Amino acid sequence: MKRIFIPFFAAAALLASCSDWTEAEHKDFLPPMNQNDPAFLTSLRDFKVG
């Protein structure tokens, strides 16, 4: 009977302690793109033409 309770309580303790690690967090690694920038628009037009 002891063999069942020890792994069960150990697994429950591990699952309860890991709940802080599993929170989803948004990380934005790329700089925001400015689509109204004239240089961006001209390079986009050149890309579409060529």
Side-chain angles (χ1 to χ4, degrees):
M1 195 72 156
K2 242 184 190 180
R3 290 184 182 177
I4 296 173
F5 287 120
I6 292 174
F8 176 74
F9 286 121
L14 285 175
L15 289 174
S17 66
C18 294
S19 65
D20 290 338
W21 298 349
T22 58
E23 292 180 10
E25 207 174 290
H26 176 71
K27 294 183 179 179
D28 192 12
F29 294 110
L30 298 174
M33 291 180 60
N34 187 4
Q35 294 182 353
N36 295 329
D37 186 23
F40 172 76
L41 292 175
T42 55
S43 63
L44 181 63
R45 287 186 196 112
D46 292 341
F47 173 76
K48 286 185 177 181
V49 168

